[in-house]
Amino acid sequence: MNLSHLLNARVAAGKPVRVALIGAGKFGSMFLSQVPHTPGLEVPVIVDLDPERAREACRTVGWDAVRIAATTFTADAAKATSGNIDVIVEATGNPAVGIKHARAAIAHAKHIVMVNVEADVLAGPLLAEEARKAGMVYSLAYGDQPALTAEMVDWARATGFRVVAAGKGTKYLPAYHDVTPAGVWGHYGLSADEAQSAGMNPQMFNSFLDGTKSAIEMAAIANATGLDVPTDGLLFPPCGVDDLPHVMRPREAGGVLEKSGVVEVVSSLERDGRPVFRDLRWGVYVVLEAPNDYAADCFRQYGLKTDASGRYAAMYKPYHLIGLELNISILSAALRGEPTGQPHGFRGDVASIAKRSLRAGEMLDGEGGYTVWGKLMPAATSLKADALPIGLAHRVKLRNDVAHGAVVRWSDVEIDAGNETVKVRRAMEARFGAAM
């Protein structure tokens, strides 16, 4: 709670925190908008596949000509690891590229903030371990829901509460798992022309709708906090903030959870499509269990919403501000040497599931696409099923037919075992899977 004080001390010492940003999309742009208003924070290098687009993004978010002129805009990721950079922010969203950038950062003694949760879920436990051994920080990105949820779990445990459930809210109906980019905009209340004019990527937005992004984020939370993953995937129960303590408790206590201590996502829609009252679509939550009668009495005395027993209560944040909050991760890494959440084990994985009957010879098109969606699984279950991780379901050819709703397995696709991303993933499985 003293990051601004620590940053002011760096300002006084003439030693600003220097950041290299890789990926100047929406998340990156939101972060960049805060930079001119954060004395002591500098971004001398911005890496993007389209450097001119990145330069224009800086203009759009309010950078003046002097700041832009002092910044290197490049497509060469090697520029991010050169010079006296303190922290690298990886915000590309591409899992293969993200793994490469994270390992380069660690090799060059730079802290890495991994906005790229897709890469984190594919190989984050191994990357975080490599960073710790090198004395560097590997961190989830504050402002994104996994880091915010991990923070709430840590708060609950540090104050002596048992965590019953933790996660986020989203807009969900069961039919969304089969939605493709061709039909995504109708579910967002937009026309295709409106979305295109706003520069919105249909496959990226569809990954939020079809459940893939929720699975990825819950896997990241499970791996960072040690919470368990539901045995048969996310339930997405409809639930507003006032009902969290009632719905998000174990079945034996009258809730929907198979047990205590799991990640879960709540839906902002009832199953018939009606909006949930006081939904948590944009927020995160943690459900707590009082350890004794005295604490349960305190819940009531201080106005917490509880279940009928009074023993289960919830805390939540109704919103998350994405890149506008990213400074917390950057400054925590640079000034405290601490991550805002990082994986310590391999508890959750995200398997590729066929959106329709797929035929041998077809190409998979990854998260949010036309062929597969990502389902959250316990990592041990995923490994036993030989499930193809959603992060590797990009531009790979099927060698076998796969039925609608079935798991796509490693053996169902043509995979180059010598591919660096595949090798890192296999190394992560070998390192952390052996303990399961």
Side-chain angles (χ1 to χ4, degrees), residues 6 28 127 235 292 311 341 382 410:
L6 293 174
L127 298 175
L235 298 173
N292 50 52
R311 299 196 71 85
S382 174
W410 284 84

Side-chain angles (χ1 to χ4, degrees), residues 149-426:
T149 306
E151 177 187 51
M152 296 188 78
V153 170
D154 185 64
W155 165 82
R157 288 171 171 165
T159 50
F161 293 115
R162 181 184 183 191
V163 175
V164 177
K168 68 164 196 168
T170 196
K171 181 180 179 180
Y172 170 85
L173 289 173
Y176 289 172
H177 290 311
D178 291 340
V179 175
T180 71
V184 66
W185 298 128
H187 298 287
Y188 283 100
L190 296 169
S191 70
D193 289 341
E194 288 171 332
Q196 184 176 10
S197 66
M200 299 166 73
N201 182 321
Q203 184 159 343
M204 186 270 285
F205 275 82
N206 196 45
S207 72
F208 286 92
L209 190 75
D210 71 7
T212 301
K213 190 69 74 172
S214 289
I216 289 172
E217 292 181 334
M218 292 306 103
I221 293 167
N223 292 340
T225 63
L227 290 171
D228 285 331
V229 167
T231 300
D232 195 33
L234 295 169
L235 298 173
F236 296 98
C239 185
V241 296
D242 298 329
D243 294 324
L244 284 167
H246 174 75
V247 175
M248 306 306 292
R249 56 184 177 165
R251 290 172 193 151
E252 62 185 27
V256 303
L257 305 178
E258 63 182 273
K259 62 180 179 180
S260 186
V262 297
V263 295
E264 187 56 80
V265 177
V266 296
S267 176
S268 64
L269 295 177
E270 302 287 355
R271 288 298 189 256
D272 61 6
R274 290 178 297 116
V276 165
F277 179 66
R278 282 174 45 80
D279 69 78
L280 194 66
R281 180 178 177 184
W282 307 108
V284 298
Y285 76 91
V286 61
V287 172
L288 323 165
E289 182 179 1
N292 50 52
D293 291 340
Y294 184 85
D297 287 342
C298 291
F299 286 170
R300 175 180 52 80
Q301 292 161 4
Y302 286 89
L304 270 72
K305 293 287 186 181
T306 68
D307 72 328
S309 75
R311 299 196 71 85
Y312 294 94
M315 295 291 281
Y316 62 90
K317 281 188 173 184
Y319 305 106
H320 66 297
L321 297 180
I322 323 291
L324 298 181
E325 300 181 82
L326 185 61
N327 283 1
I328 301 299
S329 289
I330 292 168
L331 299 180
S332 182
L335 304 179
R336 285 184 181 156
E338 294 181 355
T340 50
Q342 68 170 212
H344 288 273
F346 184 33
R347 304 185 69 85
D349 199 15
V350 184
S352 303
I353 307 294
K355 285 189 172 182
R356 54 176 172 79
S357 294
L358 303 174
R359 300 301 178 203
E362 287 192 66
M363 296 290 289
L364 301 184
D365 58 353
E367 69 170 277
Y370 289 84
T371 57
V372 292
W373 62 277
K375 179 179 179 178
L376 181 65
M377 286 186 174
T381 302
S382 174
L383 294 182
K384 185 176 180 180
D386 194 37
L388 180 72
I390 192 69
L392 292 177
H394 298 255
R395 294 185 294 278
V396 293
K397 184 182 289 188
L398 285 171
R399 64 168 78 232
N400 300 319
D401 294 348
V402 181
H404 179 206
V407 174
V408 180
R409 307 177 192 280
W410 284 84
S411 57
D412 290 324
V413 297
E414 297 178 2
I415 285 280
D416 177 9
N419 177 277
E420 191 60 30
T421 307
V422 173
K423 288 164 65 176
V424 172
R425 167 66 189 206
R426 287 305 204 187

Side-chain angles (χ1 to χ4, degrees), residues 31 50 55 66 85 114 123-124 140 200 239 262 381-382 414:
F31 158 62
D50 186 343
R55 187 178 282 106
V66 173
I85 296 295
M114 187 62 86
L140 299 179
M200 299 166 73
C239 185
V262 297
T381 302
S382 174
E414 297 178 2

